[in-house]
Amino acid sequence: MAPRTPERGRLYRRCGCRRPDGGQFGAACPKLKGRSRHGSWAFAVDLPSADGRRRPLCRSGFPTRTAAHTALKHALTRERTGLYGDEDLTLAAYLTDWLRTKEEALKPTTFVRYGDYVRADLIPAFGRIALQDLRPRHITAWQEAELARGRGRTTVYRIGATLSSALGSAMRARLIADNPCRYAMTPRPAAQERICWNPTQAAAFLRHNRTHYGDQVADLFELLLGTGMRRGEALGLHWTDVHLPEKTLLVRWNLTAVNNNRLYLGHPKTKASRNWVSLSPRVAAALERQAALARAGQPPGTPLEGLVFCQLDGSPLRPQGILSELRRRSEELGLPRIGVHDLRHTAATIMISSRVPLAVVSKTLRHSTLSTTVNLYGHLLPYAARDAVTAIDKALARADRKHHQSAPASEDRAA
């Protein structure tokens, strides 16, 4: 059954035949009359314009009237909804193009991880589906299948988050009306509780490093535990950013390893991370030792340059090597097994347990917001809750005492 005539626009047949003067007949070709199968179907519709001028949209080349009518309806839908997506655009093509646009915007380590997820997981799972046809049920079924075959919840969540980011970009570009991940993503898995050393364990570890090693890695651990700096920030630290007389340093660089292979020196994690860090006397002493070693190999009076912690040739230390040293040296003392980033959490825990105000802890760790610090370490503040309820109790007790002290005088006046 042929589709009815559309409410807007018109359907017609046209061809590419040319007149004797070289121009096309278009819809006026004599061969199009009657029931001839000559030519193809086309549609034309006027679209609204800001200046009031006629702005026709014309498309041709459809094999049947039904196909042209369907294309016209899609064109009118795009006009009504503001969507401009290509119905034939597959997720494989879109994700590939989206990944290319993200290369300059993302840090290398993040870009590599996104690329792995797109090529190894998302394209094999969803690549043949048209971008506009992806539905929450597709994503839900994929998540259930991945979990059923033993993939970790955190991994599945991160892959889904990558897809959600890509679809969010498509929605902002008006290629799709909504992001189906909003209705299908499983909740973010709870982060595993970090294992931190207590002050006794941390001090024993630093003593062990000074006594049995006394190398630059020992001084690096002094810096990490004494300031709460991130590993990449410490490995990317340059002498030009260290101000020992003022006992401060400026975090400007972050060293990371892409795929545990290629080293990349970039900017810190966040804008708030690029900030000044105060140095305690023992951390300043560790950096003084490194400065003395660096000056020993150059003419007197030459300003220190390059990386603070580096190989003999000045090249960076490898992040994985620092983790290996941490594990090996802590095992020699029988300390709990932790990662390098857990040294930052240990520093935060020591500050909080010493009742340093949380706002000061947040500034020291260079978190973007105080809420970040609260979310990470709020469970370490039982004393704060005790102090709060104790303050309420004391205030109420003071009010009761004042009442009892003034009660007799009031009673005398009443008598």
Side-chain angles (χ1 to χ4, degrees):
M1 181 177 180
R4 63 182 183 179
T5 303
E7 296 180 3
R8 282 184 59 199
R10 64 187 183 92
L11 304 175
Y12 58 96
R13 284 194 313 179
R14 60 161 297 146
C15 68
C17 296
R18 296 187 177 276
R19 301 189 300 269
D21 61 2
Q24 286 191 354
F25 278 113
C29 180
K31 297 180 182 180
L32 295 174
K33 295 180 179 179
R35 294 183 174 272
S36 171
R37 295 180 178 272
H38 183 67
S40 62
W41 282 92
F43 74 80
V45 63
D46 287 339
L47 300 180
S49 62
D51 55 9
R53 295 182 181 180
R54 183 171 179 269
R55 188 164 65 90
L57 173 66
C58 304
R59 295 290 185 269
S60 60
F62 301 101
T64 63
R65 188 178 191 277
T66 300
H69 182 262
T70 300
L72 173 59
K73 287 197 300 182
H74 285 311
L76 294 175
T77 299
R78 287 195 295 270
E79 177 208 354
R80 185 178 66 257
T81 62
L83 299 179
Y84 302 97
D86 181 357
E87 297 173 4
D88 298 325
L89 178 62
T90 64
L91 271 159
Y94 171 74
L95 288 172
T96 300
D97 186 62
W98 172 80
L99 190 63
R100 178 184 56 79
T101 64
K102 302 298 287 186
E103 185 169 6
E104 295 297 325
L106 297 174
K107 292 183 178 180
T109 50
T110 306
F111 177 74
V112 168
R113 186 174 70 249
Y114 277 21
D116 290 341
Y117 291 159
V118 166
R119 288 185 286 269
D121 294 283
L122 296 177
I123 288 180
F126 307 109
R128 295 183 179 181
I129 302 175
L131 174 63
Q132 295 186 351
D133 293 338
L134 184 66
R135 297 293 182 266
R137 58 185 170 83
H138 298 133
I139 301 167
T140 300
W142 169 79
Q143 288 180 132
E144 292 175 349
E146 291 297 295
L147 293 173
R149 72 185 186 93
R151 295 291 290 274
R153 286 190 175 275
T154 300
T155 300
V156 173
Y157 175 83
R158 287 174 177 171
I159 297 170
T162 303
L163 176 62
S164 180
S165 177
L167 296 178
S169 296
M171 189 175 69
R172 288 188 292 274
R174 305 304 296 155
L175 300 179
I176 54 177
D178 203 357
N179 184 344
C181 283
R182 290 177 53 192
Y183 314 102
M185 287 287 292
T186 57
R188 183 171 188 162
Q192 292 184 347
E193 186 175 351
R194 291 280 185 179
I195 299 176
C196 300
W197 289 337
N198 59 40
T200 301
Q201 293 169 326
F205 176 74
L206 294 177
R207 281 197 310 271
H208 180 71
N209 275 270
R210 289 197 308 271
T211 304
H212 294 85
Y213 293 95
D215 57 0
Q216 68 168 336
V217 177
D219 288 334
L220 174 64
F221 289 140
E222 287 279 0
L223 177 66
L224 293 172
L225 271 168
T227 63
M229 288 175 64
R230 301 176 179 90
R231 174 177 58 181
E233 295 169 347
L235 293 180
L237 182 63
H238 286 65
W239 281 117
T240 51
D241 297 321
V242 177
H243 305 275
L244 288 173
E246 294 81 14
K247 287 187 170 52
T248 59
L249 62 81
L250 176 63
V251 175
R252 285 200 308 137
W253 301 102
N254 186 64
L255 183 76
T256 54
V258 180
N259 277 343
N260 289 328
N261 183 16
R262 179 169 58 89
L263 296 180
Y264 172 77
L265 187 65
H267 296 296
K269 183 178 181 180
T270 63
K271 184 178 180 181
S273 298
R274 188 187 186 279
N275 214 324
W276 292 95
V277 173
S278 296
L279 305 177
S280 66
R282 67 180 296 156
V283 173
L287 292 176
E288 286 283 10
R289 288 193 292 270
Q290 290 305 303
L293 292 174
R295 291 191 186 99
Q298 63 185 31
T302 304
L304 291 176
E305 294 181 345
L307 294 169
V308 174
F309 301 100
C310 59
Q311 309 279 2
L312 292 177
D313 61 357
S315 60
L317 298 177
R318 302 195 68 82
Q320 186 63 31
I322 304 305
L323 174 61
S324 300
E325 287 298 308
L326 171 65
R327 295 273 170 81
R328 183 170 66 85
R329 299 183 186 192
S330 60
E331 286 174 3
E332 292 171 355
L333 289 175
L335 294 175
R337 182 184 176 90
I338 66 173
V340 178
H341 198 68
D342 295 323
L343 298 179
R344 176 175 169 86
H345 293 291
T346 297
T349 303
I350 293 174
M351 285 188 283
I352 292 172
S353 62
S354 301
R355 301 203 176 193
V356 175
L358 200 60
V360 178
V361 175
S362 183
K363 285 293 184 181
T364 302
L365 297 176
R366 290 163 292 113
H367 285 155
S368 298
T369 62
L370 181 60
S371 62
T372 301
T373 314
V374 173
N375 291 336
L376 286 173
Y377 304 111
H379 65 289
L380 299 176
L381 297 170
Y383 71 84
R386 286 194 298 269
D387 290 348
V389 295
T390 299
I392 296 173
D393 182 77
K394 289 181 178 179
L396 295 174
R398 284 195 301 270
D400 281 338
R401 285 195 300 271
K402 290 182 179 179
H403 172 75
H404 291 311
Q405 290 170 1
S406 60
S410 301
E411 292 172 359
D412 290 342
R413 285 195 297 272

